[in-house]
């Protein structure tokens, strides 16, 4: 499902060029839950951004579901990313002026081949599955941080992606809410067969993964 070869990301700083990712080869099988761990600044988020088609590698190749994503033109990459990859970021990243149901529906509205009614029906169904069926018309500021994160998971699923990338999705949540959000992500992985890659500092969360990838100084060390 995912193959990274010779992946490198360099940044130019006042101190000169810095390699955030210094040459990574990584394979993730379809339907697996893989956790990526490492200290702050180890290159985890830079790696995820390249895997997700958000940040172009300085070198290397990323193949997702059989497609060399960085070989695509910008428009095709954006379309592929929207359809095949779901994102759950550290912060909820919901648009504050839109209702929860609008936020969830938005990625699917970019496709002109889908009826608005069908999109909103699916958005409502996903929110209901996340325990938010009574909050469809609520705005992000009207629900808790945990409820916002559930809405983000629903949004990530709206286009039935093959891959979900979750970058520290529970780091700002209390312990009980963290457990609930992880339960939702694991249910997506196990019940839908969606490949899940999670970046976390929490070794207990990583311990639930089928594989743990440890990154330090931009390379895989274990």
């Amino acid at each position: 499902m995912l193959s990274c070869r010779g992946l490198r990301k360099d940044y130019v700083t006042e101190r000169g060029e810095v390699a955030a990712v210094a040459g990574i080869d990584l394979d993730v099988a379809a339907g697996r839950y893989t956790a990526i761990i490492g200290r702050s600044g180890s290159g985890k988020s830079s790696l995820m951004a390249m895997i997700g088609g958000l940040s172009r590698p300085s070198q290397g190749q990323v193949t997702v579901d059989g497609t060399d994503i960085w070989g695509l033109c910008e428009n095709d990459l954006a379309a592929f990313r929207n359809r095949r990859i779901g994102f759950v970021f550290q912060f909820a990243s919901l648009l504050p002026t839109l209702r929860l149901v609008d936020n969830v529906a938005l990625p699917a509205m970019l496709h002109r081949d889908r009826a608005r009614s069908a999109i909103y029906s699916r958005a409502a169904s996903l929110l209901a599955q996340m325990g938010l069926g009574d909050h469809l018309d609520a705005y992000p500021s009207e629900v808790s941080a945990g409820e916002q994160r559930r809405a983000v998971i629903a949004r990530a699923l709206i286009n039935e992606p093959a891959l979900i990338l979750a970058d520290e999705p529970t780091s700002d949540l209390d312990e009980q809410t963290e457990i609930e959000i992880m339960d939702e992500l694991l249910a997506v992985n196990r019940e839908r067969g969606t490949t899940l890659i999670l970046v976390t500092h929490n070794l207990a969360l990583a311990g639930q993964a089928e594989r743990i990838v440890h990154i330090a100084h931009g390379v895989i060390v274990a």
Side-chain angles (χ1 to χ4, degrees):
M1 132 62 54
L2 170 69
S3 177
C4 302
R5 289 291 175 270
L7 209 54
R8 183 180 182 92
K9 183 65 178 181
D10 298 317
Y11 293 101
V12 177
T13 71
E14 294 179 353
R15 303 189 310 275
E17 197 170 81
V18 174
V21 175
I24 281 181
D25 293 335
L26 176 66
D27 293 306
V28 176
R32 302 292 294 275
Y33 166 30
T34 299
I36 298 177
I37 63 172
R39 293 179 178 273
S40 294
S42 62
K44 304 184 305 299
S45 292
S46 293
L47 174 62
M48 289 283 271
M50 290 187 286
I51 290 172
L54 299 173
S55 178
R56 182 174 292 277
S58 302
Q59 295 179 23
Q61 182 182 52
V62 178
T63 302
V64 177
D65 210 15
T67 297
D68 175 6
I69 65 171
W70 290 109
L72 300 172
C73 69
E74 288 298 323
N75 287 342
D76 288 345
L77 173 58
F80 182 89
R81 186 171 57 225
N82 181 265
R83 287 184 178 272
R84 305 301 290 157
I85 304 174
F87 297 91
V88 182
F89 295 112
Q90 181 174 357
F91 302 105
S93 66
L94 297 171
L95 296 176
T97 58
L98 297 181
R99 302 171 301 165
L100 294 187
V101 70
D102 300 320
N103 269 284
V104 172
L106 185 59
M109 295 294 288
L110 299 176
H111 306 297
R112 297 180 181 179
D113 58 342
R114 300 176 66 178
R116 178 185 175 89
S117 59
I119 291 171
Y120 270 82
S121 176
R122 175 165 170 76
S125 176
L126 286 169
L127 284 168
Q129 291 173 36
M130 297 296 156
L132 296 170
D134 294 333
H135 299 291
L136 303 183
D137 294 325
Y139 289 87
S141 61
E142 297 173 335
V143 299
S144 70
E147 288 169 331
Q148 289 182 34
R149 208 58 49 87
R150 289 190 188 92
V152 170
I153 296 172
R155 183 180 64 186
L157 293 173
I158 189 68
N159 287 327
E160 301 183 76
L163 171 66
I164 286 186
L165 302 178
D167 192 353
E168 297 282 5
T170 65
S171 62
D172 60 331
L173 303 176
D174 62 79
E175 184 176 358
Q176 181 56 41
T177 306
E178 177 180 71
I179 291 171
E180 293 171 359
I181 295 304
M182 277 307 303
D183 284 347
E184 297 290 358
L185 286 171
L186 290 174
V188 168
N189 169 243
R190 293 167 181 167
E191 296 171 12
R192 299 171 183 265
T194 304
T195 306
L196 172 63
I197 301 178
L198 173 80
V199 163
T200 183
H201 284 94
N202 189 320
L203 295 182
L205 299 183
Q208 301 176 63
E210 295 163 287
R211 180 186 178 191
I212 299 175
V213 176
H214 187 184
I215 293 180
H217 307 296
V219 298
I220 295 175
V221 295

